[in-house]
Amino acid sequence: MGSRFAIYDNHKITKRSKYVYLYLSDRANMDGICWPSISTIARDLEISRSTVKRSIKELRDKGLVTTKQRYRPNGGTSTLEYTLTKEN
């Protein structure tokens, strides 16, 4: 039986990206969606914003996370929405 999320079976990603993925997983709803800011992730994991950004890029490139820009009512940008890839 596979794990809930694909991260455990993907050994070709960096440890920092697994760390960020697990953070997102911990905050995701039942549909695998969450929207913490880059700053919040960095602060909570005690890593730099740049490291978070690199990790999210790697997770997107590997197909483990998709992102969608969220917008405020006035049209300004808000946090990204992260959707975690579940195993089939």
Side-chain angles (χ1 to χ4, degrees), residues 52-66:
V52 173
K53 289 178 183 181
R54 282 192 304 274
S55 295
I56 291 168
K57 180 183 180 327
E58 181 178 4
L59 293 169
R60 273 196 314 247
D61 290 348
K62 298 289 184 176
L64 295 169
V65 172
T66 59

Side-chain angles (χ1 to χ4, degrees), residues 57-79:
K57 180 183 180 327
E58 181 178 4
L59 293 169
R60 273 196 314 247
D61 290 348
K62 298 289 184 176
L64 295 169
V65 172
T66 59
T67 59
K68 182 171 102 176
Q69 184 64 59
R70 297 173 66 224
Y71 295 93
R72 293 185 174 92
N74 68 3
T77 59
S78 183
T79 58

Side-chain angles (χ1 to χ4, degrees), residues 34-45:
C34 60
W35 44 89
S37 70
I38 299 291
S39 295
T40 298
I41 298 168
R43 183 192 66 231
D44 289 351
L45 295 180

Side-chain angles (χ1 to χ4, degrees), residues 1-68:
M1 175 183 256
S3 56
R4 179 174 176 214
F5 293 106
I7 192 72
Y8 297 111
D9 298 328
N10 192 327
H11 302 286
K12 296 183 181 187
I13 64 170
T14 61
K15 289 178 185 178
R16 72 166 189 261
S17 293
K18 285 184 181 182
Y19 196 38
V20 170
Y21 186 94
L22 293 172
Y23 177 90
L24 295 173
S25 174
D26 188 49
R27 278 141 185 84
N29 63 20
M30 295 301 289
D31 295 320
I33 299 170
C34 60
W35 44 89
S37 70
I38 299 291
S39 295
T40 298
I41 298 168
R43 183 192 66 231
D44 289 351
L45 295 180
E46 298 179 348
I47 58 179
S48 71
R49 287 175 41 87
S50 296
T51 297
V52 173
K53 289 178 183 181
R54 282 192 304 274
S55 295
I56 291 168
K57 180 183 180 327
E58 181 178 4
L59 293 169
R60 273 196 314 247
D61 290 348
K62 298 289 184 176
L64 295 169
V65 172
T66 59
T67 59
K68 182 171 102 176

